[in-house]
Amino acid sequence: MINQKILITYEFTSISPQDAETLAKEIALEQTVELPYNLIKSHFIETEIIGSIASITALSKDRYSAVIAYNPEITGFQIPQFLNILYGNISIKTNIRIVKLSLPEQFLDKFKGAKFGINGIREKTAVWGRPLLCTALKPMGASPQEFAKIAKEFALGGGDLLKDDHGLIDHSFSSFHERVLRCQEAVTNAALTTGRETLYFPNILAPFEQMEEQIAFAAKQGVKGILLSPFLIGLDMVRYLSGKYNLIIMLHPSLAGTHFNDLRHGIAPEILLGTIFRLIGGDISIFPNHGGRFNLSIEQCKAISLSLSKESLGGLKQALPCPAGGMGIENIRDMSSLYREDVIFLIGGSLYGYSDNLTINTQTFMEEIKRHFPHCSKSVDRTDDFISSCEINNNVYTKDSIMEYLQFNDDFTWSGRGITEYKQSDNPDFYNIKRQELIGRFGEKTAFDLRYFEIAPNGFSSLERHVHEHVIICICGDGKLKIDDISMELRPFDIAYVQPLKRHQLRNEGSIPFGFFCIVDSKRDMPITP
Amino acid sequence: MINQKILITYEFTSISPQDAETLAKEIALEQTVELPYNLIKSHFIETEIIGSIASITALSKDRYSAVIAYNPEITGFQIPQFLNILYGNISIKTNIRIVKLSLPEQFLDKFKGAKFGINGIREKTAVWGRPLLCTALKPMGASPQEFAKIAKEFALGGGDLLKDDHGLIDHSFSSFHERVLRCQEAVTNAALTTGRETLYFPNILAPFEQMEEQIAFAAKQGVKGILLSPFLIGLDMVRYLSGKYNLIIMLHPSLAGTHFNDLRHGIAPEILLGTIFRLIGGDISIFPNHGGRFNLSIEQCKAISLSLSKESLGGLKQALPCPAGGMGIENIRDMSSLYREDVIFLIGGSLYGYSDNLTINTQTFMEEIKRHFPHCSKSVDRTDDFISSCEINNNVYTKDSIMEYLQFNDDFTWSGRGITEYKQSDNPDFYNIKRQELIGRFGEKTAFDLRYFEIAPNGFSSLERHVHEHVIICICGDGKLKIDDISMELRPFDIAYVQPLKRHQLRNEGSIPFGFFCIVDSKRDMPITP
């Protein structure tokens, strides 16, 4: 039979066998009806509301574990009440620790969890098969310009992720908006050199009234993720923001520690920073690494990591563990062996302090990571939410295969290569375009793809920009190419080159089809809206 | 010199003298810049951002206390970041407890705190000089009808406050809206019998998207307060809601316990449930009473109570302590002596279980409370936010005094009594009314007040209702009195009686002033909008 209940395993310390049973009964009442049993007169409440004791097990002479089953309906499938049932009143007692939590499908189905998860983050960062390197912008008190300098140097060194320190807010002495603007600009510009964008996650820590304005501002600058502290802004607020915005959600454990660092009381960290952080929509969960400035054991770190990246949790996506706190280059070997590839190493002070040159430090740390994952591949065939006319369905060519000769037909098709016709007239980004993938997608080893596009009269391509370049050769009709504010006419055999990150769009304002070849790197970043 | 810093006193246990100093320095960095000292190269950051150690004191051989001063600017004067600076990262360490918190005026000035505070609650409940009795609607799983029955019985017994259990939400098996509707109706109806309304506070515990709808619904039913759990919905959300709605805010400590029940770590409960709950706008703070189902000591309870109801905190209002959890009638004597009059006794199970008759139980508990406060007075001369044309400025007559003879003047004034003329034409509730207080407000001992009102042509009084009755005697012009849906003409010497809680309004649709006497109880409740 499928379990329909929420099963919570509590561990009691310093307790006698009789008291263990009494305590289990008390918890089952305390967390639900908050009344003595003799005052309950309803069969429905007895059977459906009060927790039922599934088992009590002796762990040692004075340590017991008890499993209590709760009807998920009592949580309303809502985060605040779920936290209440889980640990609300018994947080005020002592020597009761939650060591295991099993959530039924019926409950999990009501939550969306992470939007991106491990695979989504790998797609966004184009990093596969190895840990990611992340650093934090510090210290509080630095100016937006100083933060942007750090962002630039880290990005030029090839760092994967960059986040605000969780104490950076919209300070009177250092503005949130200017920091986000300049840092996002810094990582975008660095991508011109590196060919790959370091993702920057600003910290959203603000009074409720300002939070969404800050997120909207950050998203407008092109950030792909944000840092949130659930215990500072509320866990349900994280669920809300995660569901509303199309951003990677990185979670910080600030103020959560008291819930797990007393081993006889509280909630095991793999439940709090693992299961629950996944439930509220976390893509990444930061936690204190063993052996650093904090006190978690190696077993606890491993349990958190597993709970995030391996354990199945209904249909919820897996999240990336992000150990942090006092780690240096000398720890990378052990951490790589402990966490394997699905992890983000968040390294602050020791990366900054390794030498005076942050770019070189970053390169050095990245090399050290890659050294332990020699077979890691780097792919930039990513998908994104913005639908680009050039990139749509760019992985669907499986029927065709490598061909040495593609015969040109009079109707501007090539034999052996199908046409992708875009009939999505409801997509406002582009209109009336056909695409044919010609070379590069059928097993070829070329470093580029050759495609043919045809824009019907009045059609247009997406207005977009990206790090990779375009080479365009007009072969029929005539069209307009707009690059930033400059517009140029393309007639047959005119060739155009679109530089990295330039806004561009192709239009057909004539009366016959405008057809052109477009050559791009086969490994390339996804376009974004300008 | 006035202190301009936030002063936090930490207590370290199991530590050597050298380590105490090192730890204090680490905290000053950890809670601000999160970088080692040698990486800080800015004078501004050194002096303005990093915490500065004000003192380190030995408490015993291995216990030390350290005071660290922080620039309030680093908190941005925002709750989430304030919590972060206070205890964010060090929550994850061990043996660091915050035992004292001193907030400068510059910081406190940015917060509004409670809207009502002790005096406001006393005005709303009309209880002075004694503790208030509160109970909780239980158990989860009961129907709205069953809850309304409890509400009615408790209100008929004269209980002061009634709150939802903090686990009552909008359940599939028991609706929030129906509960609030029926329970508020129950206490309003009971007021017809008792002459005084028991205040009902519904529990607002819901996903973010539903919370404000629930509050608006409750306010529309006439509730005067709500119950919130800061650690379940987020402390800043409480500040936001408290600031936005004109409701008494009662706070519950669910999930807060792990922050204070390890005596070597966490935050002292008088700071968390006292100072901080006042800062975020709490009018009432529930905490576990010593000797009940939870583990707080008598000293801790006293400290929480003092922090709420006595300590000055800038211009913030004092709040009412609300000890709860496993108390019975036999505890009232000791609790009365411990907390004195400014306290709410929250008694659930033992009130329900005292006998089968909840009304009698409530009366018995109320009598027991009053027995310890024999001189408590009951006054219903309250102020409210709804501006009633009959009650505006009802306490301002200090110049006039008791007079035996009030001579009638031809212009419908009485010598020796001033006129209050309402020129607040921007108030949409009433228009063009004069009032003269004649008897009852000048030192008389009458149980009633006699006032003269005059409504100019086209003028009207507030549409309102209240528990106290009106006797109206028309003496000039003619007017209309609307009671519920019935409208009656009043001509000179017509007398009207307005029953408790009937909606009523007076209008002058004629061409000369409509004047009438109005007699009311001197101790009466404030009108509300219907």
Side-chain angles (χ1 to χ4, degrees), chain A residues 151-159 189-191 193-194 198 359 362-363:
Chain A
K152 179 185 170 184
E153 291 173 0
F154 178 72
L156 287 176
N189 286 337
T193 305
T194 63
T198 300
T359 298
T362 306
Q363 285 166 344

Side-chain angles (χ1 to χ4, degrees), chain A residues 447-464:
Chain A
F448 60 87
D449 293 348
L450 174 67
R451 300 94 53 89
Y452 172 73
F453 290 85
E454 199 174 87
I455 304 182
N458 300 316
F460 53 87
S461 70
S462 330
L463 175 66
E464 61 185 35

Side-chain angles (χ1 to χ4, degrees), chain A residues 91 93 208-209 236 239 261, chain B residues 91 93 208-209 239 261:
Chain A
S91 78
K93 294 183 170 264
F208 166 69
E209 297 91 328
D236 192 60
R239 176 203 55 79
N261 60 9
Chain B
S91 79
K93 295 185 168 264
F208 166 70
E209 298 91 327
R239 176 204 55 80
N261 60 10

Side-chain angles (χ1 to χ4, degrees), chain A residues 282-298:
Chain A
D283 294 286
I284 301 167
S285 175
I286 300 173
F287 60 90
N289 196 36
H290 73 99
R293 300 200 303 276
F294 300 93
N295 311 292
L296 264 68
S297 69
I298 192 165

